[in-house]
Amino acid sequence: MTAPPIGPRRATLAGEVRAEIERMIVDGELAAGEKMNELALSNIMGVSRGTVREAIRSLADSGLIDLITNRGAFVHETTLAEVRNLYDLRGAVFAMACAAAARHVAEGADAKLPQKLQRNIEKMHTAYAKEDTARYYALNIEFHDMLLAGAQNPKAKTIYDNLVRGMHLFRRRGLSVVTNLARSLEEHIAISDAVSAGDPEAARVAAHLHITSGLARYMLMLDQDSKPSSQADAP
């Protein structure tokens, strides 16, 4: 009796487990510094510990997990210096992408992008009015993805995706309060207006300002978190 081929199926399963663990880290279900519990994860996902171990090891290359000799695997704790570096890199790539998207609009190579951006912003307005930060954050990701697609530069999109994979916790934290949503929305409108007008330089400036402002919002949240509640609540 010939055994069925299991190589491709195992690879697919390991990939699915890797994707789920990655999602759990990005969504904050697995906290920074937390030790990866292979047994618990295998029980949750209904797979073997070996499959979980394989997925965890493959994630080490992504920077989301640290493998420490004789201690195990831990969710990576990003330092403040790393956060700043990530924002700097993301700002450069995103600014370039928005400028390219504006250029394509001006050349008539992407006539539908302005309408797509406007529809997204209208949905953001609704999420903001409802103080629905989770919905707003999802639309925020969609907005950025549309602009990266509008740049028509696959390599830039790959670089950007790799950068933001480990940044969702910072970005979500910066958009966790309604006052920050208002500022973010204004910045999105400025980017959309510049891209829709086919103005690459205005799009580049607006995009870079958006990323640097996002870092400032995150830093402000960290500062407030470090203060006693009586000080943090003061006007």
Side-chain angles (χ1 to χ4, degrees):
M1 180 176 178
T2 303
I6 61 173
R9 287 195 311 209
R10 178 170 179 175
T12 300
L13 180 59
E16 292 174 354
V17 172
R18 173 192 164 114
E20 177 60 12
I21 294 174
E22 182 176 316
R23 182 200 65 76
M24 294 172 75
I25 294 173
V26 168
D27 288 351
E29 294 177 20
L30 293 172
E34 181 177 346
K35 184 173 183 178
M36 306 297 292
N37 187 323
E38 293 178 3
L39 179 58
L41 289 170
S42 66
N43 289 336
I44 290 171
M45 300 180 193
V47 298
S48 70
R49 289 186 65 174
T51 301
V52 170
R53 187 178 303 113
E54 181 180 348
I56 289 173
R57 287 175 177 170
S58 70
L59 273 171
D61 293 335
S62 72
L64 291 175
I65 288 177
D66 295 325
L67 297 178
I68 302 176
T69 304
N70 299 325
R71 291 187 59 198
F74 296 79
V75 179
H76 180 67
E77 290 189 270
T78 307
T79 66
L80 190 55
E82 287 177 314
V83 171
R84 291 182 183 277
N85 288 340
L86 287 170
Y87 269 98
D88 283 346
L89 288 170
R90 179 170 167 246
V93 176
F94 187 60
M96 179 277 297
C98 289
R103 186 173 65 252
H104 291 310
V105 169
E107 295 169 350
D110 196 348
K112 294 182 179 180
L113 182 58
Q115 290 79 14
K116 292 178 182 177
L117 294 174
Q118 183 57 39
R119 284 196 295 270
N120 177 277
I121 285 175
E122 289 170 358
K123 293 176 183 178
M124 283 186 180
H125 269 293
T126 300
Y128 167 61
K130 294 180 178 179
E131 300 187 2
D132 187 344
T133 58
R135 173 61 174 158
Y136 184 92
Y137 184 70
L139 290 166
N140 173 68
I141 294 173
E142 181 182 288
F143 181 84
H144 286 254
D145 284 346
M146 283 192 291
L147 288 163
L148 264 295
Q152 300 178 27
N153 187 330
K155 287 187 177 180
K157 179 70 164 60
T158 299
I159 293 170
Y160 184 84
D161 288 345
N162 288 336
L163 285 171
V164 301
R165 184 172 290 112
M167 294 182 68
H168 285 292
L169 290 177
F170 319 135
R171 296 170 68 193
R172 184 183 290 107
R173 185 74 179 95
L175 295 175
S176 61
V177 295
V178 175
T179 52
N180 285 350
L181 297 192
R183 300 188 190 100
S184 171
L185 183 54
E186 290 175 0
E187 294 160 11
H188 284 181
I189 292 171
I191 295 169
S192 177
D193 287 348
V195 171
S196 298
D199 188 335
E201 180 58 20
R204 184 192 68 77
V205 171
H208 192 265
L209 176 62
H210 177 53
I211 302 304
T212 56
S213 296
L215 173 59
R217 284 188 283 272
Y218 175 69
M219 296 300 291
L220 179 60
M221 298 299 293
L222 287 184
D223 183 60
Q224 291 175 342
D225 288 347
S226 66
K227 294 179 180 178
S229 58
S230 58
Q231 294 182 28
D233 295 338

